[in-house]
Amino acid sequence: MSTDRLLATLLRYLQSAPHQQDTRRLIGTAASLLTSLNNPLNITLLTSQLLSAPALWPYPNALTSSLTFMTLFHSATIKCHERDIAHDDNQQSQASLRPHVESHLPLHDWIQAVLKGADQHSPPDHHLLAIAGLIVGLATRDHELMSTNVAYTLRSAFVKAVNLALSETSAADDFAHGNICLALNHAFIHLSDIDRSTVDYDRLLPVLMTSTFHSPHGLRSGYFLGAADADLKQISDHQFNWPSDSPSYQQIESILKSPLISSLGPLSRLIAHTIDHVKDAWLVQSAVEDLSDFSKRLGTQWRQNKLSEIDASEETIFLHEQAQKKTVPTLWKLLRSTLFAIVIILRSASGRVVGNAALAAHGNAPHVAQAILHSLRNLSFVFSRMGNVSFSQYTFTYLTSIDILANYPDHSATFLESITPSELGHIPHHPFERDLDLFFLNTAEHFALVLSSRLNEDLLLAAASPYLITAGNPKLLPIFEAAHSVTLSVFSAPQNVDLTTRHLPFYVDALFQVFPHNLSARQFRLAFKNLIRVVSPPSRIAIAQPMLAATLLDLVHERAIHAPDVPLPPSHVPISTAPELESASKSAVPDLSEKAVLILTLIDAFPCLSLALLEEWLPLTATATQMVTDSAMREFCKKHFWEVLVGGEMDPERSQICVRWWTSRGGRESLLYGDGSSDDGYFMSGGLGEQEKVMAKL
């Protein structure tokens, strides 16, 4: 069949009643004709018919057809570009490797003909798909072409089509909005900064948010979690299954395969860029509140889902093999992608609050910060599933929101009261509630300085107290350590002197009860060092209780003398047993005993001690170091002793005391040799070695 006859036949079919099974065949025929026609008028006619054809556009099957349509123009552009190159090579060599084409339509003219086909007979969102396909095809084949005149024409036409589609599309047209998002998500990276500056971001942001999080083409407002709960089947007394042929699982698979969610990473960065450039500051607040509502809905549905009752470590017991290996991992893949996308968007929103006076005016800043923190809290069940491994975008968003909110004490108090643990004073049995408790403790730690003493006691200490005295549970170690951090932050706040005096004995007792079985060596050392700092000059507690620091040191020293000298289990002594050793390799840090950890704890406290206590505890700690029977542990304690003395933590006055003790008061011999035997060791700068001492006597 000739090209003209094939074109006429295709045009007739495009205007006929739609048949879903014919769509693929029509698209294939159109792709062939687009690259074989040499008459620009025919190309324009075909493009116009494709953009408005009843046979291609009436189907509501999400954006799959739109992606196929965009791919049609993407592939055609690549083929025309290759034909252009081959034609130029033939002209230069005067010898063609294939039959010579009598007529040839240059790529620039072909693109112009396609653009003319984006006319008034079809809606602007259809134009976007065609132009996006041209741009991506051109950039994919040869990125240098994006700086040519033809690329400039394409980019300008694309931005005009974007703004036209945003202004003319009905607010209820989800399909058109999905087309706008799809086209922008693929082509935006290829636009220049000048092109991007002309996009109407104020109209674009609501479209992106709705299409991504609420439309049938996106995350569907998070309701897929509720549907999943309905399909869970109990197959035995203690085991559940989520079949892969259930409607809820099929829905989650379809969401993951949808054109928007399958590229959720780039799409979230597009939304973040849009937030950075909207002019109306209210739109930023609206987007953040929308995400807060979405995450709350997601968290609520997860709490009501039977899967939330199963701890990650217990899934092999309570879940069928199919659920363990297929359906549940697919669900977590979707939830993790959602978490990353939301964090990327909130990161830009928090940056706008910091750098935009309009958002800070009229009390908007604390409301935005609270909404961001509420979103992160509601998604904490996803974050905890990742093992609480932080990433830079999350850390920036989280800490920036806390810093913003901390400038408003009243709002800070209101926020903490709104997220107070539901079972205050008790450890909840539900894993989801424990995740919320962990978020509360990690967050409340940063607000101890701005809260009143009453709230510090009624909220922070009350929430932390049950985790301080509970028997060991390795699964809950992060939340136990968070409880200790909260308690120490409360004790460190200057307005809490009376509060600290009342609660300190209880905390010290709890600290010694839980170590080493329910508290890591690192956390114990940090906790004790902070305690010593709290009760040492110039704090007000040191004035009211001058002997408190000495008493705490005596408690640690007495326990160290009688502590076991066998290595602790690895889970209780992480490789980085102290902040100064974070970069040490595993081979450089021996397995430490409880005795060694307690002695290291005494050494850690040196920079915080008063001058009199430092002078008293240098020899006592050196003597205690010699009580460590294992040579590797003992040498590690000696090395840490030396690092604290010369590592820069000491101020000049304390350094002078250390120098006097080391050089003229037997400190070197006491630490290195103990029993008077000679051995190689560490030397203060300028100290004499054994050979130099002998020479000096001679």
Side-chain angles (χ1 to χ4, degrees), residues 264-278:
L264 190 55
L267 183 58
S268 62
R269 290 191 289 273
L270 174 61
I271 299 174
H273 178 86
T274 304
I275 286 178
D276 288 337
H277 291 84
V278 292

Side-chain angles (χ1 to χ4, degrees), residues 113-130:
V114 172
L115 290 179
K116 289 180 181 178
D119 52 27
Q120 69 276 9
H121 299 296
S122 53
D125 60 287
H126 294 186
H127 303 171
L128 277 177
L129 295 172

